[in-house]
Amino acid sequence: MDHAKLALLASATIVAVLLGVAFLGPSGERVIVATTTSTADSGLMDYLKPYFEAECGTSLSWISLGSGQAVAVASRGDADVLLIHDREREEQFVSSGNGTLRVTVFYNDFIIVGPIGDPANASSRDAKVSMGSIANAGRSGAALFVSRGDNSGTHALEKRLWAALGIGELENLGWYKSAGSGMSATLRLASELGAYTLADRATFCRLKGSMGEALRLEVVCEGDPSLLNPYSVVLLNSSRYPKIRYEQAIDFLLFITSPEGQGLVGNFTVSGERVFFPIYGKTESIGLPPEDEAVAIIEALRTRGHVV
Amino acid sequence: MAYVALRSVRKRYSDKEILKGVSIDIQRGELISIVGPSGSGKTTLLRLIDGLDFPDSGEIFIDGIKLTMENAPKLRKKVGMVFQNPVLFDASVYDNVAFSLKFRGLPDDLIRQRVEAALNLVMLNDLAKRSALTLSGGEAQRVALARALVYDPELILLDEPTANLDPANVLIIEGALREANLQEKTVVLVTHNIFQAKRLANRVALLLEGEMVEVQETESFFNRPLDPRTRRFIDGDLVY
Amino acid sequence: MWCDSMGWIEIFLDGISEAFGLILSSDAEILGIAALSLKVSMIATLLGAAFGVPLGFLIASRSFYGRSLTIAVINTFMGIPPVVVGLAVYLLLSSSGPLGFLSILYTPQAMILAQTLLTFPVVCGLTVSSILALDQRLKETLQSLSAPKLWEAFILLRESRIGLITAVIAAFGAAISEVGAIMMVGGNILGYTRALTTAIMLYTNTGEFALAIALGIILLLLSFGVNLALTILQMRYRKKR
């Protein structure tokens, strides 16, 4: 056998082995949660991961995207379950038949933050008043507002607040900047530009914790009920997406709605502050409609004998 | 029939006709020298015989078989070619010469024997382990000759093998050619050096502007040329 | 005030000292991230070379209709933005995509596939140019020695090996440093598909600059190690001349 053929054979063998290593590796049991940047960037998912894995024996993976993008990824069947905060989209997802069950699991609250010293005088208990001050200052060139601009739940809430003030065509306003980024990146951008933005408390605390005073932002509005931010788990329709890991998705749902899961969420702190508040089965307490039907289904699933 | 026979071979490259109907018979075992000024078509003639290129019209026979694009790879196995500026592989002198025997599937000890003999012929045994790319021009030309001789071809084609070489290298190469010719190999030596043709060849052919002017025994070629252009060429009156 | 307490020099120095701390303490998470980056990019480079070198050789050594166009297309793909490849591979591997049945989205395999698509044109294009740069008489010499096609390819590739190593270096550099493609098809999943570049992006986003700098330094060191090995190999070949 001549050398060239031998070399060719050897190379072919190496390629085959490489392909084998690359593509035949065992990929184990896991569940992919499509979630928002706030749950991922705040560290909540990292915090829950070991508990969930110990409980269910399934690896917990998540893709952190804006809520809109998370829904889009799930609509293609590329995630097993959703954990997001955009009620309109969630309901649309379920009513279109892509999802089968939606339940609120916890909430956090949004805050309006702005440059140290609050040049726009936006400090207020009322989010509408605060946003109005920012817009006024913006028109006179004294303030900037940075929007997530990524179709996330945060972005959706922000647009609702502007709409309530009658402010539209935002992209054409000189003082309005669309970042097209996740929460942390948007906060850092606001800090650099000396701008106001709407943020979830969890991400803001986490970033404040890691960047300290290099994050030149302070809270100007908090505590307004319209700034409450409920997160839901949405189960996908397994007959529409037969390839998803449905059983593992249910495990995740049962875990996060269990007393243990709810307790973990409530105990999670960022820089010493609690940022997420469990609300499963008690949605009325923050002024949301009751979810008795969903709760009944989940509890039935739990007694059916799932791991959790 | 002659070992190599060309019949009215024409070859054109873009706008210039290089060979204008060349016919010649080359006998088995002879050492024939093709002389002529630069640009007369000598190199093209060799390339056509080696099947590296093909005539526009006319025919070439090797050992009675008509050379075609299809059988060129097969016929070429009996032909060794030494280019004017040979390219050696980035490997040792030994490996350069052994290469063509390796893919011919010869056993290792036979390869060693043959390579050593070929290197001996061009007096390069001492440099067997040297990287071929570090050789001088003359040494490189000798390696190229050994590389073409090692697989024992019946026909050897050489394109100006000693142009720009010093006398020592010229002597070694000419010696190796004589030796090859003594072993019944047919040798076609293209040169513009008529003294080299005179020293080595049995017969000499003059190629001028793509036409075969005259083919004769060496002695007659130089002493009794038939064509006045041959006379002017050997007298050095033909300016080129 | 904040400028004084946390200036950029502090952030930078912090990052450097943290980087060496992490490397010396062999933090399991960091090592895992570095190992994944190295594994994915190396396999992608080798696969890119396994397909790119033979194809590049064929394109360079055959003449066929549309060859210049083919070379121009490959050269264009050498500069394709990783996110475009990421998007294409995402759509391909997505459950509702044509290769959805493989179920490898958000896995290291998907990352390898995406990076292979990035390294392949780099290796292929540079192979074409290093074969074309060879002395054209080399091929004729091989032909006149009656070398079989396979041997001819073997020698021509061997003659251009310095160029081929350059191709591999460039491909590996493109793979290990890109973030867009592996972010999209790997998903930056902790302990599974989080690579050095995607982790750097995450930690920059979350304001953990020291950690991001640390990972950046590790990335540079890894890249330097691989390049050094390949360059030594290349210089060894060059010395023979």
Side-chain angles (χ1 to χ4, degrees), chain B residues 7 13-14 50-51 71-72 99 105 116 121 128 132 135 140 161 181 187 192 200 216 225 233 240:
Chain B
R7 298 278 175 269
Y13 284 116
S14 59
D50 200 22
N71 67 14
F99 175 66
E116 274 166 13
L121 197 61
L135 298 179
N181 188 229
V187 180
H192 66 261
L200 292 175
Q216 280 231 63
F233 181 73
Y240 53 86

Side-chain angles (χ1 to χ4, degrees), chain C residues 118-165:
Chain C
L118 283 170
T119 57
F120 165 73
V122 173
V123 177
C124 189
L126 293 179
T127 300
V128 169
S129 59
S130 54
I131 296 286
L132 288 181
L134 284 178
D135 195 326
Q136 287 309 298
R137 295 172 304 167
L138 202 54
K139 200 177 169 184
E140 210 150 70
T141 301
L142 287 161
Q143 209 181 336
S144 95
L145 289 173
S146 302
K149 285 285 168 209
L150 216 53
W151 280 85
E152 185 181 308
F154 176 69
I155 290 287
L156 291 177
L157 287 172
R158 198 169 163 278
E159 292 287 319
S160 54
R161 60 194 185 268
I162 288 174
L164 298 187
I165 294 173

Side-chain angles (χ1 to χ4, degrees), chain B residues 35-197:
Chain B
V35 298
S38 304
S40 56
K42 306 189 297 293
T43 298
T44 305
L45 194 69
L46 283 193
R47 290 173 53 81
L48 295 185
I49 296 173
D50 200 22
L52 294 173
D53 214 334
F54 297 89
D56 300 333
S57 68
E59 292 164 326
I60 297 172
F61 296 89
I62 309 274
D63 206 3
I65 301 165
K66 191 188 168 200
L67 180 65
T68 63
M69 216 175 275
E70 288 70 34
N71 67 14
K74 188 164 170 284
L75 290 179
R76 199 188 287 130
K77 287 188 177 163
K78 298 188 282 187
V79 183
M81 172 102 160
V82 179
F83 295 89
Q84 183 169 5
N85 296 301
V87 195
L88 300 183
F89 310 129
D90 183 359
S92 70
V93 167
Y94 181 95
D95 286 342
N96 262 274
V97 179
F99 175 66
S100 63
L101 298 181
K102 283 186 184 159
F103 64 69
R104 281 175 166 81
L106 266 63
D108 282 350
D109 49 342
L110 189 56
I111 291 181
R112 195 173 318 115
Q113 214 177 314
R114 289 248 217 135
V115 172
E116 274 166 13
L119 286 177
N120 232 351
L121 197 61
V122 294
M123 300 194 205
L124 276 178
N125 259 331
D126 293 348
L127 300 183
K129 290 193 173 120
R130 270 269 289 279
S131 161
L133 302 186
T134 62
L135 298 179
S136 72
E139 289 162 343
Q141 189 62 272
R142 281 148 64 192
V143 173
L145 180 56
R147 186 170 65 181
L149 288 172
V150 74
Y151 53 89
D152 201 21
E154 294 177 3
L155 172 65
I156 300 166
L157 310 171
L158 303 107
D159 191 3
E160 306 274 9
T162 60
N164 309 320
L165 295 192
D166 58 277
N169 279 308
V170 173
L171 274 177
I172 293 172
I173 288 174
E174 290 187 356
L177 289 181
R178 274 200 200 91
E179 179 64 31
N181 188 229
L182 283 178
Q183 291 167 12
E184 309 280 294
K185 295 186 194 310
T186 310
V187 180
V188 181
L189 171 67
V190 156
T191 180
H192 66 261
N193 180 343
I194 52 170
F195 301 107
Q196 183 169 56

Side-chain angles (χ1 to χ4, degrees), chain C residues 209-232:
Chain C
F209 299 122
L211 193 51
I213 293 171
L215 291 172
I217 291 171
I218 293 172
L219 178 62
L220 272 177
L221 288 176
L222 279 184
S223 182
F224 176 70
V226 171
N227 277 319
L228 186 67
L230 288 170
T231 308
I232 288 172

